[in-house]
Amino acid sequence: MSVKNNISRRSVLRGMVGVGALGMVSSSMLVKTAMAGGTVTIGFVYVGAKDDYGYNQAHAEGAAALKSIPGVKVIEEENVAETNDVQKTLESMINLDDTKLLFPTSFGYFDPHMLKVAAKYKDLTFLHCGGLWTEGKHPANTGSYFGYIDEAQYLSGVVAGYASKTKKLGFVAAIPIPQVLRNINSFTLGAQSVDPSITTQVIFTGGWSEPVKEAEATNSLIDQGVDVVTCHVDGPKVIVETAEKRGIYSCGYHASQASLAPKGYLTGAEWNWAKVYTDYVTSYLKGEEIPNLVRGGLKEGVVKTSAYGPAVSAEAREHADAVKAQFMAGEFVIYKGEIKDNKGNVVIAAGQSNSQTDIALESMDYLVSGVIGDVRS
Amino acid sequence: MEAVDLGLWSVPLAVFAGAIRVSTPFLFVSLGECLTERSGRINLGLEGTLVFGAMSGYAVSYLTGSAWLGVLVAGLAGSLFGLLHALICNMPKVNDIALGIALMMLGTGLAFFLGKNYIQPQAPNLPAISLGSWSDLAPVRSALEINALFIIGLILVPSLIFFLNHTRWGLMLRTVGDSEDAARAIGFSVKGVRTFSTMAGGFLAGVGGSFLSLYYPGSWSEGLSSGQGITAVALVIFARWNPLYCFYASLLFGGAGALGPALQAVGITSGYYLFNAAPYILTLIIMIFSSSSTHRFAGAPGELSVTR
Amino acid sequence: MTISARTLGAIEALFIPLLAILISMILFAVFVWIAGSSPADVFALMYKGAFGTSFSIENTLQRAAPLILAALCTALPAHLGMVIIGGEGALVIGGLSAAGIALTLPSGSSPLMIQTVMILSGMLMGGLWIGASGFLRHVRGVNETISSLLLSYIAIAILNHMVSGPLRDPSSLNKPSTRPIGDENMIGSIPGMDVHWGLVMGIIFCACAYVLMYRTTFGFSARMVGGNVRAAAMSGLPVGRLLVITCVIAGAAAGLAGAVEVAAVHGAANAPFAAGYGYTGILIAFLARQNPLAIIPVAILMAGIDASGGLLQRRLDLPDATVYVLQGIIFIVILACETLFGRFNIFQPKETA
């Protein structure tokens, strides 16, 4: 027990993945909650609509997977703003619905909102999506989870690299923050592993849900000669549909948008929250300790890729499957030197390699060579 | 698809294409509001009408398979909101601006309430008319994929000008808008005319909303309108209650909306939040320069509360 | 005949809005019934979520705090016949400036000092923002409804630009924000309840605004302007000064709301903090018939409706927009009922109809 905890603690300090109760990362334990029988109520809070074909739908699908577990009651609230609103929603779930385990799923819920509520209800468990929990800084009854979805983005990049004829890829992104930049870079590096001359044009829309700007950005990209587009916004529906209408390829994000683009959908980077939530709740019901920090990629089943669309060539499948197998074996490193940013500076020196769990990647503030765009807003 | 690098030329092209794509909702709402305001009423609720039109149009298109039926229903729903606005404002002591804000809230609320089941499904979209088949350049061809609603909007502009200036009904509408007393003296029904013009305005705003959900960007979601409806109301004042200027102003707002992404596509990336606010800043500046504290806003209907 | 005309007027002013709320509830009940839920269940849950438990009451009061101040931003200029709908802009710019100025203060400053400076800065900037609308109206004849709306879009763009650019805290990696003002500098709760001091500030502001508008020469003059601008100008009232000063006070209220949001809730300025309280404030101001004291109960009622929305979603599976529908209905019915003032003989200084 203590040995395991020591290892995990050190792992977290290094930002590494230890093997915890969930087979992913673990560090110090959470307050154990003995189940006194009866049903336990679990609350999910979403920042947007549950069926947005994107971020919130991915979480809602995960929550839906819990409904079949006996002794579990799932309650949900959508369109909850990252303000006092979410604090009161959490407290309302606690006070009026006797919720014991809470999942505020939006990144911006964490600080200060969830932390404030968690400090007030120390015997309840709060698990936040975003991977922000830090030992010693954040309360022990809180936790955070996130996935290395850029692994799946890398695979999308590989597939896109084969599909593109113009060698120009497009990326519609919300705002230039590390998580988004990492996806853009991994996508580009994946494509460049097929053909180093490939470029990715990025357009930032300035917000997480801006349908008209997203459509406009997609059209601008296509007018520039881009023939595969992907994105990092809350609801990719408009982007994938616009790409299909204009007859180019698209790669999805958050959830599968395959049904929106039967011809042009190549593959996509999807969350697999059903697995994460089921693992959490199973441990919780058994009264096991729940790790404060849970992270994982393809190998741990936190993220997955959409099934290949009809336009994906056999060659592309073979290459992508081979890389995926390496990810599954925990052998593949995306950020391996020498990598230059798009201003010509070396960001990862030759011989240096930042593996997936490396904390340095979490504060990424550059776009790799071959990406056309600027991280300043 | 061939790759032709247009370089910086792609910016004006994208702004042009974007102006056409993005401007249509502005055009419909502003023409509708223009009609309403010329009769002496302001309906700020067109934002709600637009959102409800987007939702109802999409839902009907999905349920019946006919996008045009969706447009029609969106328009009819819009005219119902217009009717509600008109009937309540016809009663004495009711503030039309406040009621507009209330209708904005109700329209948006109802659209979100009833629209939950239509966020996911894909509804048939309106077809585009290809006017660019003469060109070899894909971006040009795409820029000239024009929706029939834009063309209808284009035709509406001279029609409305003709209606307002050269028909008996148009005269009636303008008289009611300029002076209630004069209209009554002639024997026009002030309430009747305003009810008609608010319903017509609502119809156009509903159609404008259906353009958002049925053509561009072409699906229903709760974040679909980023205030196009209320911006269009401001745009009418900017356009001096003239349908032709409404058209230009809509193109300007649409083009400004396309400018940010287009500039980023060619590598000009900083300050996009400020770029996005450019149309609002521009409108404010123009209002400051074209208004006056001593005489009434040129072209303003005399009975309009916002210009008094 | 025993009741004075003034009392009758007050009863009428109370009776008609209550009647309107009753009508709205009936309409809403029909709506909910058509949507397939039991109106009785809905009302029972709404009561529980808004006022039914001590938590619910705190929830409602906390939500009411920014709404009270935002409503003043529309209500005060209305006394001069202006319709200001840009309270959101003043709120946003006030919050942004409060967060910005907190970070420029020397590190040894006491929390009280920091909070005071934040609040003053928020009020000043919010005041300037709406004051600009009043100024433009007076000097250039620019319609204040439209200018305040445009200014609020501009304010939101400035907020987004500043928090993701010049004022961005480099360590706010994935949620662009200004640097946090620090836990020790946050405005805390009113002793004994989980509601921050913003509520008290709002109530005090309302009381002062009431006194200003109904018990001072300034307020009397301002309402003269609202009655008839030309007559007021001819009788020698400084119309421009009245317009601008009232707008500045109104903007200061909204700016204070923004500063309190930053100082009591968020701890920093960031995009989510522009949460639309300014728009709900418009609704409240009209429901309160622009009376600063009436704003307090109306804001609490609206906040209660907001607070109960979650419960409706969780228990009855009704969409989150249910509460907007109810608020929209109430708003419309109340405005429509304006027309009833003076129509009931019973409220006229004469016995029965």
Side-chain angles (χ1 to χ4, degrees):
Chain A
M1 216 23 219
S2 69
V3 174
K4 194 183 101 187
N5 274 340
N6 280 339
I7 290 169
S8 344
R9 233 168 239 141
R10 225 181 299 135
S11 307
V12 166
L13 289 176
R14 292 204 313 269
M16 292 289 294
V17 183
V19 178
L22 296 172
M24 299 170 222
V25 186
S26 77
S27 63
S28 66
M29 68 194 94
L30 284 168
V31 180
K32 245 189 271 184
T33 313
M35 284 298 302
T39 55
V40 60
T41 305
I42 301 175
F44 282 85
V45 187
Y46 312 114
V47 74
K50 282 190 289 204
D51 34 16
D52 61 356
Y53 259 105
Y55 186 86
N56 299 294
Q57 182 171 329
H59 284 291
E61 283 171 3
L66 299 179
K67 291 176 182 165
S68 58
I69 300 176
V72 167
K73 185 177 170 219
V74 174
I75 57 172
E76 300 170 282
E77 249 187 82
E78 59 181 341
N79 285 330
V80 177
E82 293 168 349
T83 60
N84 179 49
D85 206 10
V86 64
Q87 297 182 18
K88 293 302 171 191
T89 291
L90 291 171
E91 284 197 65
S92 173
M93 286 178 162
I94 294 164
N95 283 296
L96 303 180
D97 283 333
D98 198 27
T99 307
K100 299 289 186 211
L101 177 59
L102 296 112
F103 289 94
T105 60
S106 181
F107 195 89
Y109 287 162
F110 189 75
D111 190 8
H113 311 298
M114 184 191 90
L115 293 176
K116 201 172 161 190
V117 180
K120 202 170 154 189
Y121 299 90
K122 289 198 166 59
D123 51 342
L124 303 180
T125 308
F126 297 79
L127 298 169
H128 167 259
C129 179
L132 289 171
W133 193 85
T134 310
E135 174 106 51
K137 188 174 168 196
H138 297 131
N141 62 326
T142 63
S144 199
Y145 52 93
F146 208 62
Y148 301 116
I149 198 161
D150 67 316
E151 295 181 351
Q153 284 282 13
Y154 185 92
L155 295 175
S156 288
V158 171
V159 173
Y162 280 100
S164 174
K165 292 185 185 65
T166 62
K167 302 299 168 198
K168 285 181 173 178
L169 312 181
F171 203 112
V172 181
I175 50 177
I177 56 172
Q179 282 174 7
V180 173
L181 300 179
R182 189 166 170 177
N183 278 335
I184 298 169
N185 289 335
S186 294
F187 178 75
T188 307
L189 292 171
Q192 289 175 344
S193 75
V194 178
D195 179 345
S197 71
I198 287 179
T199 58
T200 304
Q201 171 81 54
V202 181
I203 294 183
F204 294 104
T205 60
W208 292 104
S209 183
E210 300 273 352
V212 175
K213 289 203 189 84
E214 288 157 15
E216 207 41 52
T218 313
N219 275 308
S220 287
L221 288 169
I222 299 170
D223 290 343
Q224 287 287 314
V226 159
D227 64 353
V228 186
V229 71
T230 188
C231 63
H232 188 159
V233 296
D234 271 359
K237 189 179 184 206
V238 160
I239 294 160
V240 172
E241 282 179 338
T242 305
E244 184 79 352
K245 253 186 254 174
R246 296 274 312 256
I248 69 154
Y249 299 121
S250 56
C251 295
Y253 192 61
H254 289 313
S256 174
Q257 290 90 33
S259 60
L260 300 175
K263 285 202 290 264
Y265 193 79
L266 298 174
T267 181
E270 294 180 42
W271 301 103
N272 190 16
W273 297 127
K275 154 133 178 69
V276 177
Y277 292 151
T278 311
D279 286 354
Y280 265 138
V281 170
T282 315
S283 298
Y284 185 87
L285 291 177
K286 285 187 195 150
E288 289 173 359
E289 65 219 37
I290 293 181
N292 295 89
L293 194 59
V294 168
R295 307 194 134 199
L298 288 162
K299 182 182 168 205
E300 293 81 7
V302 179
V303 302
K304 60 185 179 184
T305 55
S306 312
Y308 296 121
V312 181
S313 67
E315 195 190 6
R317 284 168 200 242
E318 201 178 310
H319 185 159
D321 283 341
V323 179
K324 192 174 176 181
Q326 283 178 278
F327 275 126
M328 299 303 277
E331 289 163 357
F332 196 86
V333 177
I334 300 175
Y335 291 92
K336 203 158 47 181
E338 184 189 80
I339 293 179
K340 281 187 178 168
D341 70 11
N342 63 359
K343 295 192 179 74
N345 310 313
V346 175
V347 285
I348 297 176
Q352 187 192 342
S353 113
N354 288 7
S355 68
Q356 194 53 284
T357 52
D358 205 320
I359 202 90
L361 297 179
E362 319 246 318
S363 50
M364 190 173 277
D365 59 356
Y366 54 84
L367 290 163
V368 297
S369 167
V371 180
I372 307 161
D374 196 328
V375 295
R376 287 172 307 143
S377 57
Chain B
M1 169 164 280
E2 64 223 283
V4 183
D5 194 356
L6 293 172
L8 286 174
W9 279 106
S10 65
V11 175
L13 185 66
V15 171
F16 169 74
I20 291 175
R21 284 189 296 246
V22 183
S23 67
T24 310
F26 288 124
L27 178 61
F28 273 84
V29 180
S30 63
L31 289 179
E33 181 69 15
C34 186
L35 211 53
T36 308
E37 290 189 14
R38 287 295 282 265
S39 80
R41 279 241 176 93
I42 183 163
N43 181 2
L44 279 181
L46 291 190
E47 171 71 20
T49 310
L50 175 104
V51 173
F52 194 86
M55 188 285 296
S56 57
Y58 196 74
V60 168
S61 170
Y62 171 68
L63 295 173
T64 64
S66 163
W68 285 109
L69 196 61
V71 174
L72 184 68
V73 169
L76 291 175
S79 53
L80 280 181
F81 277 103
L83 180 65
L84 187 61
H85 185 275
L87 290 182
I88 298 178
C89 284
N90 283 345
M91 302 191 294
K93 296 185 192 168
V94 177
N95 179 322
D96 55 351
I97 294 184
L99 187 71
I101 299 166
L103 276 173
M104 186 185 335
M105 202 168 241
L106 183 72
T108 313
L110 279 175
F112 288 5
F113 188 102
L114 301 171
K116 286 286 175 205
N117 295 329
Y118 305 104
I119 299 177
Q120 273 216 335
Q122 268 187 304
N125 272 8
L126 291 169
I129 300 168
S130 303
L131 298 178
S133 44
W134 49 269
S135 170
D136 294 334
L137 297 172
V140 174
R141 280 208 302 272
S142 143
L144 291 173
E145 290 273 299
I146 287 172
N147 184 264
L149 279 180
F150 178 75
I151 297 170
I152 294 174
L154 206 61
I155 299 168
L156 266 176
V157 174
S159 317
L160 275 183
I161 296 173
F162 182 81
F163 168 80
L164 285 169
N165 296 333
H166 300 285
T167 66
R168 196 186 125 74
W169 280 52
L171 175 71
M172 203 151 84
L173 199 149
R174 283 185 294 130
T175 313
V176 167
D178 280 331
S179 165
E180 281 188 29
D181 295 338
R184 280 206 196 88
I186 308 171
F188 293 158
S189 159
V190 173
K191 287 179 181 175
V193 169
R194 288 189 178 156
T195 306
F196 161 79
S197 67
T198 315
M199 284 180 74
F203 187 91
L204 292 179
V207 170
S210 72
F211 177 88
L212 283 174
S213 62
L214 289 174
Y215 186 70
Y216 195 76
S219 69
W220 160 246
S221 68
E222 290 174 359
L224 190 57
S225 166
S226 44
Q228 284 100 326
I230 197 150
T231 308
V233 175
L235 193 146
V236 176
I237 296 173
F238 179 60
R240 309 283 189 91
W241 298 271
N242 179 334
L244 185 64
Y245 294 165
C246 284
F247 174 67
Y248 293 148
S250 300
L251 282 184
L252 180 74
F253 273 61
L259 185 63
L263 285 178
Q264 280 192 55
V266 295
I268 300 168
T269 53
S270 32
Y272 45 82
Y273 288 115
L274 301 181
F275 272 125
N276 292 341
Y280 305 117
I281 298 170
L282 199 62
T283 310
L284 189 61
I285 291 172
I286 290 184
M287 280 182 73
I288 292 171
F289 282 101
S290 59
S291 303
S292 161
S293 58
T294 50
H295 56 85
R296 137 177 312 285
F297 208 49
E303 292 286 338
L304 198 61
S305 53
V306 290
T307 56
R308 273 208 286 262
Chain C
M1 290 302 242
T2 50
I3 309 167
S4 73
R6 196 179 152 156
T7 315
L8 276 171
I11 298 175
E12 183 183 35
L14 199 62
F15 173 77
I16 291 179
L18 286 178
L19 177 74
I21 289 179
L22 184 71
I23 297 173
S24 317
M25 302 244 295
I26 294 169
L27 288 174
F28 180 65
V30 172
F31 176 80
V32 174
W33 178 71
I34 294 171
S37 293
S38 142
D41 288 357
V42 171
F43 286 124
L45 275 181
M46 290 191 78
Y47 177 75
K48 184 177 180 185
F51 306 105
T53 70
S54 62
F55 161 75
S56 300
I57 292 171
E58 286 172 352
N59 183 359
T60 296
L61 291 178
Q62 172 110 318
R63 286 172 191 264
L67 299 180
I68 290 174
L69 287 165
L72 280 172
C73 188
T74 300
L76 294 179
H79 287 93
L80 292 91
M82 287 189 285
V83 180
I84 294 278
I85 61 173
E88 182 75 4
L91 193 150
V92 161
I93 221 73
L96 178 66
S97 77
I101 203 150
L103 305 172
T104 62
L105 293 175
S107 54
S109 311
S110 71
L112 188 65
M113 164 84 177
I114 291 177
Q115 289 161 8
T116 310
V117 171
M118 284 178 76
I119 282 171
L120 291 177
S121 158
M123 289 174 67
L124 179 70
M125 283 306 293
L128 288 177
W129 209 249
I130 299 298
S133 278
F135 179 77
L136 288 176
R137 150 86 182 248
H138 181 65
V139 173
R140 296 290 316 164
V142 176
N143 173 253
E144 75 287 350
T145 309
I146 307 295
S147 73
S148 66
L149 177 73
L150 293 170
L151 280 169
S152 64
Y153 283 121
I154 295 168
I156 293 168
I158 293 175
L159 169 74
N160 282 323
H161 180 75
M162 295 306 274
V163 300
S164 59
L167 280 183
R168 179 167 177 182
D169 172 10
S171 69
S172 67
L173 289 177
N174 285 308
K175 181 184 176 184
S177 300
T178 60
R179 274 191 291 132
I181 61 168
D183 285 347
E184 66 285 2
N185 298 323
M186 300 269 295
I187 292 177
S189 300
I190 303 166
M193 62 198 305
D194 188 23
V195 179
H196 61 65
W197 282 101
L199 180 70
V200 176
M201 295 182 207
I203 291 171
I204 294 174
F205 210 125
C206 281
C208 295
Y210 179 84
V211 171
L212 179 73
M213 279 297 157
Y214 293 93
R215 295 282 183 272
T216 65
T217 323
F218 177 91
F220 180 74
S221 314
R223 286 185 294 136
M224 284 263 301
V225 175
N228 187 330
V229 181
R230 284 188 192 89
M234 270 191 284
S235 66
L237 288 176
V239 173
R241 206 189 313 159
L242 289 166
L243 284 177
V244 175
I245 292 177
T246 309
C247 282
V248 167
I249 298 171
L256 173 61
V260 170
E261 277 301 295
V262 167
V265 177
H266 292 269
N270 46 38
F273 120 88
Y277 299 127
Y279 301 114
T280 318
I282 304 169
L283 161 70
I284 292 166
F286 276 96
L287 298 193
R289 308 193 72 233
Q290 324 293 359
N291 180 327
L293 286 184
I295 282 176
I296 300 167
V298 173
I300 291 173
L301 177 70
M302 286 299 133
I305 294 175
D306 276 341
S308 66
L311 212 51
L312 295 182
Q313 259 195 76
R314 302 195 307 260
R315 297 279 180 87
L316 298 178
D317 209 20
L318 282 168
D320 55 294
T322 313
V323 295
Y324 303 130
V325 174
L326 175 58
Q327 288 176 338
I329 292 175
I330 296 181
F331 197 174
I332 288 170
V333 175
I334 293 228
L335 290 171
C337 285
E338 287 283 298
T339 198
L340 296 177
F341 278 90
R343 293 275 190 91
F344 291 113
N345 287 333
I346 190 171
F347 294 127
Q348 306 315 312
K350 202 179 144 219
E351 206 58 61
T352 57

